[in-house]
Amino acid sequence: VEITNTLDPSDAAAIHTEMLLIDRPPVDRTSVSSALLRHLAEALPMGLVQIDTDRRVVFCNGKLADLTGRPHAEQLSDVLGDLTPADDKVLLRALETVLGGDDAEIELSFTHPARGARRYGVILSALAGRSGYGTSGALLCVTDITDEAQQRDEILHRAAHDALTG
């Protein structure tokens, strides 16, 4: 709000007050919201990648590059790197599910260029289209669960095998 008080030159006892509401144009509001969301995405402790319906990368945060050892790329397959054929099928099924409008949660094995074999948990969330119908893409949240997966496998092995006889 901008307020201007002006003395009336013909009457010293009169003050004219003009109030003007100044609103940012929608474009400015959108850019401020976008900047805030990008800042929040970079602060997350997990990798984040947004894809469109053609599986092209729209956005990914810096944590994703740290987790996968691969810089930002245009296609999701380039960001995630080489998957085993089995995990590639798991990812393709999950992408079909999420781009169809349902969320999914999967585990995938990646080979990090510097850290070797890693296991990742991936939560896939459908992004609603502008009209509220269909999807405009998906958001993938990626976390390194290598240690947890190893502990889980060890517990399952102990539960199924006798320590003395194997």
Side-chain angles (χ1 to χ4, degrees):
V1 176
E2 182 179 297
I3 301 173
T4 305
N5 292 320
T6 310
L7 290 173
D8 187 339
S10 61
D11 181 4
I15 299 175
H16 296 283
T17 302
E18 179 182 357
M19 294 177 61
L20 179 63
L21 176 63
I22 301 172
D23 191 16
R24 282 186 289 204
V27 173
D28 285 350
R29 285 194 303 260
T30 302
S31 65
V32 168
S33 296
S34 293
L36 175 62
L37 288 175
R38 285 185 187 280
H39 184 70
L40 289 171
E42 290 298 334
L44 290 174
M46 66 187 66
L48 190 66
V49 59
Q50 178 188 352
I51 59 168
D52 63 16
T53 54
D54 294 323
R55 300 174 187 164
R56 288 186 304 252
V57 173
V58 176
F59 171 81
C60 62
N61 68 355
K63 183 66 174 178
L64 185 72
D66 292 342
L67 286 172
T68 63
R70 290 172 174 79
H72 175 76
E74 291 186 18
Q75 294 294 323
L76 181 61
S77 58
D78 297 330
V79 173
L80 296 182
D82 297 326
L83 298 174
T84 64
D87 279 350
D88 197 39
K89 289 178 184 176
V90 168
L91 178 60
L92 289 175
R93 276 194 306 273
L95 287 171
E96 288 173 12
T97 298
V98 76
L99 293 174
D102 294 322
D103 296 344
E105 190 169 340
I106 59 174
E107 288 186 16
L108 300 171
S109 293
F110 297 166
T111 300
H112 189 285
R115 291 183 280 187
R118 308 300 293 171
R119 190 81 178 154
Y120 294 92
V122 183
I123 300 171
L124 299 93
S125 300
L127 297 175
R130 288 187 183 267
S131 63
Y133 298 99
T135 58
S136 63
L139 193 61
L140 286 74
C141 298
V142 181
T143 54
D144 187 335
I145 60 165
T146 304
D147 294 339
E148 293 88 342
Q150 288 172 346
Q151 290 172 355
R152 180 185 61 214
D153 292 345
E154 185 178 315
I155 290 169
L156 290 174
H157 180 77
R158 283 190 213 168
H161 296 86
D162 179 58
L164 182 62
T165 63

